[in-house]
Amino acid sequence: MRRKGVEKQKRNILALGFTSFFNDISSEAIYSALPLYIEDTAMVGLVGGLFNGLGSVFKFLFGYLSDRLGKRKLLVFCGYALSALSKFLIALSQGFLMLAGIIGDRIGKGIRTSPRDAILAEAKKRGYAFGLHRAMDTLGAISGSLFIFLLLTCKWDIRRAMILAAIIGSLSLVPLSLVEEPKLPVKRRRGRIRITGNMKKFLAGAFFAGLASISPMLLIKQSSVVVGVKSLLIYSVYNIFYVLSAHRLGSLSDLVGRRRVLLLSSITLSLAFFLASLGGGILLFSFPLYGISMGGLLSTAPAEVGDLEKKAKGTALGIFHMIYGIGVFTGSLLLGMLLKLFGNPALIVPAFSAIISTIFFLQIR
């Protein structure tokens, strides 16, 4: 019986990983090209902030709903389905309808993220589960950015490229059929979250880490000044280091503790933006460090939530994603304006935000 449970967890992890893989090929193919076509850096910050932070409130709402209903898979499917349909709207339209497609895609992300992470949090080795999922997610992102780079260098029309990316995104719904719904006892569905002192410190750290985790669109925009369209290849370097670190650091947190990996990730995040603030060719070296820090942070932080909250995991993960997402949106919007005014030296701001997050993570016991 126990062995069947372990096999079910492994199947769910792999199925959700492949779902994210296909979805992220599509998402990154579409969104990584946008900074090359938007001239205003402040506007890139706004679009990047919407891309990374718009679904935050929905992550809390649908995380809570998944706890109350005890139906996580249905919400995960609805979220991915909405994103798949929205990508076709982005590819086939412009102006207001394209904006509506972007909003729909991000709302879809908000619907699915917390219920999906709550399924992953059922695994005994949560760091491994989240690390493998983030790795497959980012492997899709690498494929997507390389995919759009090849199409653009081969003189493909951007619309045709986005339509093809949207078709690939619809494949994300296929692996979901293999996911089994976790059976939640009625008591767990009614469980109320209790915000402990450690959870408060963790969420404060997550907010400042979010402020530092600015949209990669801004780094693509800044590096495109130096290397042009090849900035998409450098973004792939960011994603490669994300893949390599997410699985390893997530699994490492199962062995040495979440707090140590969170501290390592936030310190690396601060160093990445300190180097980026120096500008010129040094900016390009910040991409690998940024990828390592994001891989560690986003594989370990949700696992830490699963450790701190035993009952209402969907709600707790929703709160984490909401607070982190608000930080990302605020940081990206603010930095977009600062970069427009001051250029690369403004990148010292997220470096300081990461230091503040480190201070909060240090206080978790």
Side-chain angles (χ1 to χ4, degrees):
M1 196 74 176
R2 187 177 176 182
R3 187 176 179 181
K4 285 184 178 179
V6 172
E7 289 178 357
K8 174 183 172 181
Q9 289 174 1
K10 287 183 178 179
R11 185 165 58 251
N12 282 353
I13 293 166
L14 285 173
L16 289 171
F18 277 109
T19 295
S20 287
F21 172 75
F22 287 116
N23 179 75
D24 262 52
I25 290 177
S26 178
S27 292
E28 293 298 331
I30 292 172
Y31 288 107
S32 63
L34 289 180
L36 303 179
Y37 294 92
I38 302 175
E39 294 185 6
D40 191 332
T41 307
M43 184 57 68
V44 174
L46 174 60
V47 173
L50 287 173
F51 176 69
N52 290 92
L54 180 62
S56 299
V57 175
F58 291 95
K59 290 175 184 178
F60 167 67
L61 175 62
F62 285 93
Y64 171 78
L65 191 61
S66 75
D67 281 336
R68 299 296 292 177
L69 297 176
K71 301 290 183 183
R72 307 209 195 274
K73 182 179 176 179
L74 175 62
L75 294 175
V76 175
F77 178 84
C78 289
Y80 277 111
L82 178 57
S83 288
L85 291 172
S86 297
K87 289 186 179 77
F88 281 102
L89 186 60
I90 297 169
L92 295 170
S93 60
Q94 55 187 349
F96 177 77
L97 286 177
M98 177 183 276
L99 180 61
I102 292 173
I103 292 172
D105 178 39
R106 295 299 90 190
I107 290 174
K109 183 177 178 64
I111 292 171
R112 70 181 180 254
T113 299
S114 296
R116 180 201 66 205
D117 283 0
I119 295 174
L120 292 172
E122 293 294 327
K124 289 192 70 176
K125 294 183 178 180
R126 295 190 187 97
Y128 167 83
F130 282 105
L132 180 60
H133 181 268
R134 297 297 182 259
M136 294 185 72
D137 179 292
T138 311
L139 192 59
I142 295 170
S143 303
S145 56
L146 290 175
F147 171 77
I148 198 69
F149 172 76
L150 290 173
L151 292 184
L152 292 179
T153 52
C154 292
K155 309 301 181 183
W156 265 56
D157 176 72
I158 186 65
R159 291 287 171 189
R160 287 173 60 204
M162 288 198 294
I163 290 170
L164 183 54
I167 292 171
I168 293 172
S170 65
L171 296 176
S172 65
L173 300 176
V174 177
L176 278 178
S177 61
L178 300 175
V179 175
E180 288 189 47
E181 182 77 66
K183 293 182 180 179
L184 302 180
V186 174
K187 285 185 179 179
R188 280 188 60 185
R189 295 184 202 175
R190 295 175 182 171
R192 292 185 178 180
I193 185 171
R194 187 169 64 90
I195 306 294
T196 63
N198 274 335
M199 181 68 87
K200 289 177 182 177
K201 294 168 187 173
F202 169 76
L203 291 174
F207 174 73
F208 282 100
L211 283 176
S213 305
I214 58 140
S215 170
M217 286 187 183
L218 284 167
L219 290 180
I220 294 172
K221 181 66 176 176
Q222 291 304 106
S223 60
S224 69
V225 175
V226 181
V227 294
V229 73
K230 291 180 181 177
S231 60
L232 291 174
L233 291 178
I234 298 167
Y235 178 53
S236 295
V237 171
Y238 157 84
N239 280 317
I240 288 169
F241 277 88
Y242 190 126
V243 166
L244 294 174
S245 63
H247 190 198
R248 291 182 180 276
L249 291 178
S251 297
L252 182 65
S253 75
D254 288 328
L255 299 174
V256 303
R258 318 282 183 220
R259 181 170 168 266
R260 290 179 179 177
V261 178
L262 286 172
L263 289 172
L264 173 65
S265 300
S266 57
I267 291 169
T268 307
L269 181 60
S270 178
L271 179 60
F273 281 107
F274 174 75
L275 289 177
S277 69
L278 300 177
I282 297 177
L283 171 66
L284 307 182
F285 290 99
S286 66
F287 278 82
L289 289 174
Y290 191 31
I292 291 169
S293 63
M294 287 292 94
L297 181 67
L298 294 180
S299 61
T300 305
E304 174 73 352
V305 175
D307 292 346
L308 293 172
E309 175 54 46
K310 304 300 181 184
K311 295 181 179 179
K313 293 185 188 297
T315 305
L317 284 160
I319 292 173
F320 158 68
H321 284 301
M322 179 177 69
I323 289 176
Y324 177 77
I326 290 172
V328 173
F329 174 76
T330 305
S332 297
L333 185 61
L334 176 63
L335 189 62
M337 293 186 287
L338 291 175
L339 284 169
K340 185 176 181 179
L341 293 173
F342 304 108
N344 285 327
L347 290 167
I348 200 69
V349 174
F352 279 116
S353 295
I355 290 173
I356 296 173
S357 73
T358 304
I359 294 170
F360 279 107
F361 289 146
L362 270 170
Q363 297 179 51
I364 299 172
R365 292 289 179 264

